Protein backbone atom coordinates (compact mmCIF):
# COMPACT_ATOMS: atom_id res chain seq x y z
CA UNK A 1 0.00 0.00 0.00
CA UNK A 2 1.31 3.46 -0.92
CA UNK A 3 1.82 6.04 1.77
CA UNK A 4 -0.41 9.09 1.70
CA UNK A 5 2.55 11.29 2.68
CA UNK A 6 3.25 13.81 -0.08
CA UNK A 7 6.62 13.30 -1.75
CA UNK A 8 8.74 15.14 -4.26
CA UNK A 9 8.62 13.37 -7.62
CA UNK A 10 11.89 11.69 -8.61
CA UNK A 11 11.78 13.61 -11.89
CA UNK A 12 12.17 16.81 -9.82
CA UNK A 13 15.25 15.34 -8.16
CA UNK A 14 16.76 14.68 -11.58
CA UNK A 15 15.90 18.20 -12.72
CA UNK A 16 17.59 19.76 -9.68
CA UNK A 17 20.62 17.48 -10.12
CA UNK A 18 20.99 18.55 -13.74
CA UNK A 19 20.24 22.28 -13.33
CA UNK A 20 21.18 23.45 -9.83
CA UNK A 21 23.85 26.14 -10.15
CA UNK A 22 24.50 26.07 -6.41
CA UNK A 23 25.23 22.33 -6.52
CA UNK A 24 27.63 22.72 -9.44
CA UNK A 25 29.42 25.70 -7.90
CA UNK A 26 29.81 23.81 -4.61
CA UNK A 27 31.18 20.75 -6.40
CA UNK A 28 33.59 22.87 -8.44
CA UNK A 29 34.70 24.74 -5.31
CA UNK A 30 35.46 21.45 -3.55
CA UNK A 31 37.52 20.18 -6.50
CA UNK A 32 39.46 23.45 -6.70
CA UNK A 33 39.98 23.56 -2.93
CA UNK A 34 41.37 20.01 -2.89
CA UNK A 35 43.69 20.76 -5.81
CA UNK A 36 45.05 23.97 -4.25
CA UNK A 37 45.25 22.36 -0.78
CA UNK A 38 47.39 19.55 -2.18
CA UNK A 39 49.65 21.96 -4.08
CA UNK A 40 50.11 24.28 -1.09
CA UNK A 41 50.63 21.48 1.48
CA UNK A 42 54.45 21.47 1.08
CA UNK A 43 54.37 25.10 2.21
CA UNK A 44 52.30 24.26 5.29
CA UNK A 45 49.21 26.06 3.99
CA UNK A 46 45.69 25.28 2.89
CA UNK A 47 44.07 27.26 0.11
CA UNK A 48 41.97 29.04 2.75
CA UNK A 49 45.09 30.04 4.69
CA UNK A 50 46.83 31.19 1.50
CA UNK A 51 43.83 33.40 0.65
CA UNK A 52 43.74 34.75 4.20
CA UNK A 53 47.46 35.57 4.21
CA UNK A 54 47.12 37.16 0.77
CA UNK A 55 44.22 39.28 2.03
CA UNK A 56 46.54 40.60 4.77
CA UNK A 57 49.24 41.61 2.30
CA UNK A 58 48.40 45.32 2.27
CA UNK A 59 50.26 48.56 2.87
CA UNK A 60 48.31 49.06 6.13
CA UNK A 61 47.03 46.29 8.42
CA UNK A 62 43.28 45.81 7.82
CA UNK A 63 40.63 45.55 10.51
CA UNK A 64 39.05 42.14 11.03
CA UNK A 65 35.72 43.29 9.58
CA UNK A 66 37.28 44.35 6.27
CA UNK A 67 39.10 41.03 5.88
CA UNK A 68 35.94 39.08 6.74
CA UNK A 69 34.01 41.07 4.15
CA UNK A 70 36.65 40.50 1.48
CA UNK A 71 36.73 36.76 2.14
CA UNK A 72 32.93 36.51 2.29
CA UNK A 73 32.88 35.17 5.83
CA UNK A 74 31.82 36.38 9.26
CA UNK A 75 34.13 37.68 11.99
CA UNK A 76 33.76 34.60 14.16
CA UNK A 77 34.79 32.25 11.35
CA UNK A 78 37.67 34.53 10.41
CA UNK A 79 38.87 34.70 14.02
CA UNK A 80 38.89 30.88 14.17
CA UNK A 81 40.77 30.66 10.86
CA UNK A 82 43.35 33.17 12.12
CA UNK A 83 44.24 31.22 15.27
CA UNK A 84 46.57 28.67 13.64
CA UNK A 85 48.27 31.40 11.61
CA UNK A 86 48.86 33.45 14.75
CA UNK A 87 50.09 30.33 16.61
CA UNK A 88 52.58 29.66 13.80
CA UNK A 89 53.78 33.26 13.93
CA UNK A 90 52.55 34.10 10.42
CA UNK A 91 50.12 36.81 11.51
CA UNK A 92 49.51 39.00 14.52
CA UNK A 93 46.30 40.60 15.78
CA UNK A 94 46.65 43.95 17.57
CA UNK A 95 44.27 46.62 18.84
CA UNK A 96 43.57 49.45 16.41
CA UNK A 97 45.47 52.49 17.72
CA UNK A 98 42.50 54.76 16.93
CA UNK A 99 39.71 52.46 18.16
CA UNK A 100 40.64 50.03 20.94
CA UNK A 101 37.49 47.96 20.22
CA UNK A 102 38.69 47.17 16.70
CA UNK A 103 41.46 44.69 15.89
CA UNK A 104 43.96 44.90 13.03
CA UNK A 105 45.69 41.93 11.47
CA UNK A 106 49.24 42.06 10.17
CA UNK A 107 51.49 39.65 8.38
CA UNK A 108 54.71 38.94 10.27
CA UNK A 109 58.06 38.53 8.54
CA UNK A 110 57.46 34.76 8.66
CA UNK A 111 54.01 35.29 7.13
CA UNK A 112 55.46 37.32 4.28
CA UNK A 113 58.13 34.64 3.73
CA UNK A 114 55.57 31.80 3.69
CA UNK A 115 53.34 33.73 1.30
CA UNK A 116 56.27 34.53 -0.98
CA UNK A 117 57.37 30.87 -1.00
CA UNK A 118 53.83 29.63 -1.80
CA UNK A 119 53.09 32.21 -4.49
CA UNK A 120 54.81 30.30 -7.35
CA UNK A 121 52.64 27.27 -6.50
CA UNK A 122 49.51 29.41 -6.71
CA UNK A 123 50.66 30.86 -10.04
CA UNK A 124 51.32 27.38 -11.44
CA UNK A 125 47.97 25.98 -10.29
CA UNK A 126 46.08 29.03 -11.44
CA UNK A 127 47.85 28.99 -14.81
CA UNK A 128 47.00 25.32 -15.30
CA UNK A 129 43.38 26.01 -14.41
CA UNK A 130 43.15 28.93 -16.84
CA UNK A 131 44.79 26.84 -19.59
CA UNK A 132 42.29 24.04 -18.98
CA UNK A 133 39.34 26.42 -19.09
CA UNK A 134 40.51 28.51 -21.99
CA UNK A 135 40.17 32.26 -22.23
CA UNK A 136 36.46 32.58 -23.02
CA UNK A 137 35.46 30.21 -20.23
CA UNK A 138 37.75 31.84 -17.65
CA UNK A 139 36.37 35.28 -18.55
CA UNK A 140 32.81 33.95 -18.35
CA UNK A 141 33.51 32.52 -14.89
CA UNK A 142 34.89 35.86 -13.71
CA UNK A 143 31.83 37.68 -15.04
CA UNK A 144 29.57 35.14 -13.34
CA UNK A 145 31.45 35.60 -10.08
CA UNK A 146 30.83 39.34 -10.24
CA UNK A 147 27.15 38.80 -11.02
CA UNK A 148 26.74 36.39 -8.12
CA UNK A 149 28.64 38.71 -5.77
CA UNK A 150 26.22 41.51 -6.65
CA UNK A 151 23.19 39.35 -5.87
CA UNK A 152 21.45 40.55 -2.68
CA UNK A 153 23.00 38.70 0.24
CA UNK A 154 25.97 37.68 -1.91
CA UNK A 155 29.62 38.40 -1.38
CA UNK A 156 30.73 42.00 -0.92
CA UNK A 157 31.72 44.14 -3.86
CA UNK A 158 35.41 43.33 -4.32
CA UNK A 159 36.16 46.77 -5.71
CA UNK A 160 35.56 48.77 -2.53
CA UNK A 161 38.76 50.54 -1.40
CA UNK A 162 38.71 49.11 2.12
CA UNK A 163 38.55 45.62 0.64
CA UNK A 164 41.35 46.02 -1.84
CA UNK A 165 44.43 44.16 -0.68
Amino acid sequence: MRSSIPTVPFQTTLHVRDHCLCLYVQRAARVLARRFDEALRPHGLTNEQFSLLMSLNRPEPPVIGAVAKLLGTDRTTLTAALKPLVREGLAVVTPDPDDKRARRISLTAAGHARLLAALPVWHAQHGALEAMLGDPDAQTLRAGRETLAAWPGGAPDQKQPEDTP
Side-chain angles (χ1 to χ4, degrees), residues 104-147:
R104 293 200 173 264
I105 317 165
S106 304
L107 282 176
T108 63
H112 280 286
R114 180 86 56 99
L115 193 56
L116 191 59
L119 195 54
V121 171
W122 179 88
H123 279 294
Q125 290 299 312
H126 197 267
L129 177 59
E130 290 233 1
M132 182 188 75
L133 290 171
D135 196 39
D137 289 339
Q139 294 301 335
T140 300
L141 277 174
R142 283 189 193 90
R145 174 199 68 199
E146 294 299 321
T147 300

Side-chain angles (χ1 to χ4, degrees), residues 67-122:
V67 175
K69 187 175 178 183
L70 174 67
L71 296 176
T73 190
D74 58 71
R75 292 169 190 248
T76 303
T77 302
L78 175 61
T79 300
L82 272 170
K83 286 181 181 180
L85 299 177
V86 169
R87 256 193 323 269
E88 288 185 52
L90 304 177
V92 63
V93 180
T94 57
D96 184 309
D98 299 324
D99 180 358
K100 297 297 182 203
R101 298 170 296 160
R103 300 281 179 256
R104 293 200 173 264
I105 317 165
S106 304
L107 282 176
T108 63
H112 280 286
R114 180 86 56 99
L115 193 56
L116 191 59
L119 195 54
V121 171
W122 179 88

Side-chain angles (χ1 to χ4, degrees), residues 12-52:
T12 302
T13 300
L14 297 176
H15 176 80
V16 169
R17 178 199 69 192
D18 296 341
H19 294 89
C20 182
L21 293 173
C22 187
L23 171 64
Y24 281 92
V25 169
Q26 288 172 337
R27 286 174 60 187
R30 287 184 190 111
V31 168
L32 288 172
R34 281 192 299 268
R35 183 174 178 150
F36 278 85
D37 281 347
E38 183 65 29
L40 292 165
R41 183 172 291 123
H43 296 283
L45 294 172
T46 65
N47 75 86
E48 179 186 33
Q49 291 170 330
F50 176 85
S51 295
L52 178 49

